[in-house]
Amino acid sequence: MTPANKVRQQFFAEFKEEAAFIVRAPGRVNLIGEHTDYNDGFVFPMAIDRATWIALRPRDDNKVFAISIDMDDRRDFALDDLRRPAEVDWLAYLTGVAWSLRERGYALRGWEGVVSGDVPIGSGLSSSAALELAAARAFQCVSGFEWDAAEMALACQRAENNWLGVNCGIMDQMISAAGIEDRALLIDCRSLETSTAPLPAGAAVVILDTGTRRGLVDSEYNERRAQCEAAARHFGIAALRDIDLETFERRVHELDPLMRKRARHVISENERTLQAREVMDAGDAAALGKLMIESHISLRDDFEVSSAALDAIVDCANAEAACYGARMTGAGFGGCAVALVEADEAGAFSEQVAANYQAATGNQPALYVSKASRGAETVFAAG
Ligand code: ADP
Ligand code: MG
């Protein structure tokens, strides 16, 4: 059953009437632009066709009562008594969004409803941002304030940073809020300006989950970040976003070998990400695939955030004739890769890559062919 039907039916079973609103917000995959966000650079995600759904109706007592089908849990909280939970669980995403929206001055009304989704949880496809933006939509439906996608993204990012204690950039929330059908969203992480470009006609995006999860990621992440900041300081610039590849190559001998590699990844990745917009506008799937392949090599060899499993699944993908290009996606050290493939071959490609990867590594992968979908929206409103 689709999550849309699940939440609708469960709502009816629970409350003995149809839901007043049904909302959804998608997960995401980043096509290119990795480890660029904290360097004030560019990222280029698309919203996937898997989402978190909520069926709900308003309440008049300033309370939220939510049933999570996926967590098999039912919980409530009072909007006037928001408490940071001792342990982060699914409800913390709802209390966090409520807290953040109120901090920003939104007057909120309570609601009750049913939550479920088909974004794989904890796979790096941002089921967390999907839940946050779905919650923001739920509050918007019953409270009646205006929906501004960028503003909602910022509010949800703040919830994740300051309420849940997860140090994430703006990408996940922005794409879940502002995704466009069949298009990817280029985000300038400095100005937060966005623009879109079409996915090449006849090409499909396949997400390849290695089945491995990142370990030690926090310390590695902090180290990369510090190296990038040190390189920027050396060049006397605010962030690595502010130097072009040509100038960098001329001055590269000034840096020690490790910093050279780290900075080269970020600077070249920003250029690739901007080139990706051009080739997408030109409808050139082969050129986009090539940029993705180069991105992976840079992440693997210069930034050193790939893993044996990620390299293996990317190699399996690139070995297929139908593949334009593949790369690791997300922070690295495990999780998912993303491939651009001929749309007609996407099913056969997925089966072949899954079999070859499993034979090579013994890991159980999961593959998802995904269209680019719309961002958070109200799908149904009664009356
Ligand atoms: P991801 O990479 O999927 O974003 P996170 O660890 O950041 O992984 O977020 C996963 C958490 O978000 C889950 O542990 C759960 O608390 C919450 N969550 C995500 N999707 C759902 C859902 N459909 N129902 C309930 N909670 C969810
Ligand atoms: Mg997350």
Side-chain angles (χ1 to χ4, degrees):
M1 207 194 306
T2 63
N5 283 333
K6 257 196 216 170
V7 295
R8 202 175 63 81
Q9 286 183 17
Q10 182 78 31
F11 185 96
F12 194 87
E14 182 73 27
F15 301 105
K16 314 290 181 238
E17 65 171 20
E18 292 291 341
F21 302 99
I22 297 180
V23 300
R24 63 171 275 284
R28 64 93 187 93
V29 65
N30 191 21
L31 297 176
I32 195 161
E34 215 66 73
H35 286 278
T36 45
D37 57 344
Y38 52 85
N39 292 291
D40 280 1
F42 299 90
V43 295
F44 214 156
M46 68 172 219
I48 59 176
D49 55 11
R50 290 165 169 263
T52 300
W53 294 71
I54 307 178
L56 69 143
R57 69 179 181 191
R59 276 173 75 121
D60 289 327
D61 60 359
N62 271 335
K63 280 193 173 153
V64 173
F65 167 56
I67 299 169
S68 166
I69 296 180
D70 307 327
M71 299 291 161
D72 191 17
D73 196 13
R74 36 177 68 218
R75 305 272 289 280
D76 62 24
F77 61 90
L79 289 171
D80 299 323
D81 185 26
L82 294 171
R83 289 159 197 240
R84 201 178 259 103
E87 234 173 89
V88 168
D89 60 9
W90 69 278
L91 194 80
Y93 292 86
L94 304 191
T95 55
V97 169
W99 165 78
S100 186
L101 288 172
R102 282 166 62 108
E103 285 272 296
R104 294 175 97 82
Y106 292 97
L108 300 187
R109 192 173 173 195
W111 52 268
E112 56 196 1
V114 179
V115 184
S116 183
D118 59 2
V119 185
I121 292 177
S123 298
L125 301 178
S126 215
S127 68
S128 57
L131 179 57
E132 289 155 14
L133 269 300
R137 263 294 181 193
F139 281 114
Q140 188 251 344
C141 283
V142 295
S143 311
F145 54 82
E146 207 165 301
W147 180 266
D148 177 300
E151 175 69 17
M152 289 300 121
L154 283 165
C156 290
Q157 183 205 10
R158 182 123 196 280
E160 188 136 353
N161 291 163
N162 295 16
W163 191 264
L164 297 147
V166 179
N167 182 13
C168 64
I170 189 64
M171 171 169 72
D172 300 358
Q173 288 78 15
M174 189 67 100
I175 182 63
S176 183
I180 307 264
E181 212 164 359
D182 298 328
R183 297 179 81 87
L185 186 75
L186 179 69
I187 304 171
D188 179 335
C189 295
R190 173 173 279 167
S191 68
L192 300 189
E193 273 170 35
T194 60
S195 59
T196 70
L199 288 172
V205 169
V206 182
I207 297 160
L208 312 101
D209 186 341
T210 60
T212 64
R213 296 292 170 255
R214 46 200 194 193
L216 278 181
V217 75
D218 282 354
S219 57
E220 295 280 356
Y221 179 89
N222 291 336
E223 186 190 271
R224 296 301 184 288
R225 220 176 151 136
Q227 288 163 338
C228 292
E229 283 161 10
R233 256 197 318 279
H234 172 85
F235 291 122
I237 51 182
L240 286 178
R241 146 77 172 276
D242 298 309
I243 187 167
D244 61 51
L245 202 50
E246 207 185 314
T247 313
F248 170 73
E249 293 295 358
R250 214 169 46 239
R251 297 185 57 184
V252 70
H253 60 276
E254 297 168 16
L255 298 176
D256 72 56
L258 188 64
M259 234 155 49
R260 246 179 243 182
K261 295 207 294 182
R262 301 296 189 251
R264 182 185 292 120
H265 165 68
V266 173
I267 297 161
S268 64
E269 184 77 353
N270 271 326
E271 298 213 348
R272 279 187 291 275
T273 305
L274 292 175
Q275 283 165 18
R277 202 236 323 256
E278 284 171 31
V279 303
M280 271 194 240
D281 280 333
D284 191 341
L288 181 57
K290 190 157 167 285
L291 291 168
M292 292 168 73
I293 291 171
E294 287 167 10
S295 168
H296 185 77
I297 293 169
S298 177
L299 287 156
R300 183 189 68 195
D301 298 345
D302 278 346
F303 219 58
E304 297 180 279
V305 293
S306 190
S307 69
L310 283 166
D311 290 344
I313 213 161
V314 164
D315 287 346
C316 288
N318 283 329
E320 296 299 315
C323 186
Y324 295 111
R327 58 180 286 274
M328 58 157 275
T329 184
F333 303 108
C336 293
V338 60
L340 189 72
V341 306
E342 289 169 27
D344 294 343
E345 300 293 328
F349 166 89
S350 301
E351 272 173 39
Q352 193 62 50
V353 170
N356 293 350
Y357 168 77
Q358 192 160 5
T361 63
N363 298 327
Q364 175 78 52
L367 279 83
Y368 312 99
V369 182
S370 183
K371 285 187 159 34
S373 84
R374 281 192 298 277
E377 62 183 339
T378 303
V379 174
F380 169 79

